[in-house]
Amino acid sequence: MTPSDVKATLSFSDGSPTMDLPIYKGSIGPDVIDIRKLYAQTGKFTYDPGFLSTASCNSTITYIDGDKGELLYRGYPIEQLAENCDYLETCYLLLKGELPNATQKTDFTKLVTNHTMVNEQMQFFLRGFRRDAHPMAIMTGLVGAMSAFYHDSTDIHNAEHRDIAAIRLIAKMPTLVAMAYKYTVGQPYIYPKNDLSYAGNFMRMMFATPCEEYEPNEVLVRAMDRIFILHADHEQNASTSTVRLCGSSGTNPFAAIAAGVACLWGPAHGGANEAALNMLEDVQRMGGVEKIGDFIKQVKDKNSNVKLMGFGHRVYKNYDPRAKLMRETCHEVLDALGLHNDPIFKLAMALEKIALEDDYFVSRKLYPNVDFYSGIVQRAIGIPVTLFTAIFALARTVGWIAQLNEMIGDPEYKIGRPRQLFSGSTPRNVAPIAQRR
Ligand code: SDX
């Protein structure tokens, strides 16, 4: 980061000493005001619940311009990556900072492929869950449990441990998600096959049975791989910040990623794709396109607590570029499956059109985000709604790892420990219980 010629000066109306605060510039995006010495010099904290104006780190991985609707992974526009690369190339890019050449891609793909099996003991964890357990409950448990198997790669300060833990997590997430699915439908687990692509392997583990092979449809496999690419990383979102804060204690990478899985589950974050599809199905049950007006009235009524799931974003105040790409994929998949008259897709398109024209949403800069269309694509592929967020976690694992590794590799990093504004009781004495009212 580059010191700016401009300084920030903090002055107080009570005549307390002013303080110069350095400003730093990144390569693109907003400058930052360095407040690291603020408390020591003024005895005051900054106050920013939800961190709307706070940069938590200096990162080189992903850049988002919310006003332009721009998303770059290591400088490459998401549109170009979705068009020209596959997910494992994107993983290599996020982890190492550069796209792989042909040899590097072959070697990386082979390395990941050869780590796709999980320890046979892992299957016994699933037996403790009810068959109707939510896949994200299972995944939170399974990812954390991985740290019980890989004592040779849990020292986060050891670069070799970090590398092998990254490969293991990226390689095994599809196997674990497919196991979580098979467990809930009472079918036997399907082992990975080393002659399949990453996305093709996942879809076979999901949909093959011992009685019947699953021949992946290349359009659907490409769509699945694109879903992985679009969800791979997204700057300092809630789950990534969770992984960074968790990892800052020095805990092992599996535990830190499990914390990210838990955070992503929330409906305001990664759980929004499940919530968005449930919302569309609810409106369809209410009467579909004809009833959109009544639904929109509910959304505008603050007392209803009804949100337009899959719309709005903390950063994007323009169309989420991933939503545009997801929408294209939607058309491709529904056409490939002959579902272009799918009522849910038609409803989604009608809802999007209304939201993009209605001042309530336009004034609040509420545009479709990645979750609005990803659910429709996954539903068309045959993925159950409850598994959508687990697939988001699968895809985001590489982003979490890249961000975690970047933090651990930063010489300035220390354990994260925010402070607070305290508004509770001032010191008081404990009265004997007989004297308490
Ligand atoms: C993801 O951070 C990331 O990068 C996340 C993510 C990633 O890749 O990691 O991009 C993935 O989580 C995408 C977001 C998925 N979530 C949803 O689709 C859930 C629905 N969206 C909202 O809950 C909301 O938009 C958030 C949480 C996404 C963002 O909320 P903000 O920035 O805190 O905005 P806000 O809640 O303050 O909303 C501003 C206004 C409010 O109205 P007013 O009080 O000004 O009248 O817009 C309203 C909100 O009530 N509003 C919505 C709305 N989202 C915001 N009203 C109806 N429907 C919505 N979806």
Side-chain angles (χ1 to χ4, degrees):
M1 59 188 186
T2 315
S4 164
D5 303 335
V6 178
K7 295 263 180 290
T9 301
L10 188 58
S11 60
F12 298 92
S13 56
D14 63 359
S16 302
T18 61
M19 179 182 177
D20 280 346
L21 295 166
I23 293 179
Y24 293 104
K25 293 180 138 348
S27 45
I28 38 178
D31 296 349
V32 296
I33 299 172
D34 183 349
I35 57 162
R36 283 175 287 186
K37 295 195 173 68
L38 181 75
Y39 178 57
Q41 291 191 21
T42 69
K44 291 179 174 58
F45 298 136
T46 58
Y47 183 63
D48 186 18
F51 311 117
L52 282 92
S53 299
T54 294
S56 62
C57 61
N58 174 14
S59 182
T60 61
I61 300 172
T62 294
Y63 175 73
I64 301 171
D65 183 321
D67 295 327
K68 290 187 199 159
E70 186 178 46
L71 169 58
L72 309 176
Y73 289 167
R74 300 283 190 184
Y76 292 103
I78 191 68
E79 295 81 357
Q80 293 186 32
L81 291 169
E83 199 54 45
N84 302 296
C85 299
D86 66 18
Y87 178 68
L88 287 186
E89 283 176 86
T90 308
C91 288
Y92 187 98
L93 171 67
L94 288 168
L95 290 173
K96 299 175 186 288
E98 296 299 334
L99 282 168
N101 60 32
T103 309
Q104 289 162 337
K105 177 178 178 179
T106 304
D107 295 347
F108 185 75
T109 301
K110 193 160 173 237
L111 193 57
V112 170
T113 303
N114 290 335
H115 282 84
T116 46
M117 279 211 296
V118 294
N119 187 297
E120 275 297 277
Q121 293 293 99
M122 287 292 279
Q123 64 183 298
F124 302 119
F125 286 120
L126 286 116
R127 288 182 183 172
F129 291 101
R130 286 170 38 147
R131 287 282 179 177
D132 62 353
H134 193 288
M136 285 300 274
I138 298 175
M139 287 306 295
T140 306
L142 290 182
V143 175
M146 285 176 78
S147 52
F149 291 88
Y150 302 112
H151 294 291
D152 64 340
S153 65
T154 50
D155 176 3
I156 201 160
H157 297 290
N158 178 324
E160 279 168 26
H161 284 207
R162 290 203 298 270
D163 288 348
I164 183 60
I167 295 297
R168 281 173 167 150
L169 278 158
I170 292 166
K172 298 177 197 301
M173 281 300 272
T175 309
L176 294 175
V177 171
M179 287 173 75
Y181 167 64
K182 285 297 195 188
Y183 182 74
T184 59
V185 294
Q187 287 184 0
Y189 308 124
I190 298 294
Y191 285 97
K193 274 187 74 188
N194 291 354
D195 59 355
L196 292 176
S197 69
Y198 188 86
N201 218 348
F202 171 64
M203 291 173 74
R204 182 180 167 278
M205 289 189 282
M206 281 284 295
F207 300 122
T209 69
C211 325
E212 199 169 322
E213 253 312 323
Y214 170 79
E215 287 308 323
N217 166 327
E218 276 319 305
V219 173
L220 302 189
V221 171
R222 183 74 188 125
M224 194 81 253
D225 192 82
R226 176 174 279 193
I227 287 174
F228 293 160
I229 292 173
L230 297 181
H231 289 81
D233 193 48
H234 212 241
E235 201 214 66
Q236 306 312 317
N237 57 83
S239 53
T240 298
S241 300
T242 301
V243 169
R244 279 180 173 259
L245 191 57
C246 183
S248 73
S249 72
T251 190
N252 69 77
F254 305 102
I257 300 303
V261 174
C263 174
L264 188 75
W265 191 359
H269 188 13
N273 51 18
E274 177 179 353
L277 204 89
N278 290 337
M279 171 192 77
L280 288 168
E281 287 177 344
D282 288 346
V283 176
Q284 189 60 21
R285 271 192 294 276
M286 276 161 57
V289 178
E290 289 69 42
K291 289 292 180 188
I292 287 184
D294 297 347
F295 176 67
I296 294 288
K297 276 199 196 88
Q298 268 190 304
V299 171
K300 292 178 179 176
D301 170 9
K302 288 283 178 221
N303 302 322
S304 74
N305 262 335
V306 172
K307 283 195 180 276
L308 198 49
M309 299 311 281
F311 276 73
H313 199 276
R314 172 59 56 76
V315 177
Y316 288 124
K317 300 308 174 189
N318 193 327
Y319 212 104
D320 181 337
R322 301 169 299 177
K324 272 191 195 130
L325 292 159
M326 207 76 277
R327 196 166 182 257
E328 269 172 40
T329 303
C330 236
H331 278 295
E332 288 162 15
V333 166
L334 294 174
D335 284 349
L337 296 174
L339 296 175
H340 40 270
N341 288 321
D342 176 72
I344 292 289
F345 181 60
K346 283 176 168 291
L347 177 63
M349 301 275 278
L351 205 50
E352 180 193 53
K353 185 173 183 311
I354 290 174
L356 294 178
E357 290 163 1
D358 184 312
D359 185 56
Y360 178 90
F361 301 102
V362 174
S363 62
R364 289 171 175 77
K365 300 184 185 304
L366 298 177
Y367 293 91
N369 58 51
V370 65
D371 293 306
F372 187 59
Y373 282 101
S374 69
I376 301 165
V377 176
Q378 293 181 77
R379 175 177 162 274
I381 291 175
I383 289 163
V385 178
T386 53
L387 206 73
F388 289 178
T389 310
I391 288 176
F392 192 152
L394 183 170
R396 184 55 56 86
T397 292
V398 65
W400 288 330
I401 293 166
Q403 300 274 352
L404 177 63
N405 289 351
E406 180 176 69
M407 177 189 74
I408 296 297
D410 178 347
E412 288 192 320
Y413 114 84
K414 46 175 71 64
I415 187 166
R417 195 346 183 151
R419 302 303 302 274
Q420 62 181 7
L421 171 68
F422 183 72
S423 315
S425 297
T426 52
R428 53 183 172 161
N429 300 317
V430 173
I433 192 159
Q435 292 170 26
R436 290 176 214 156
R437 281 192 296 278

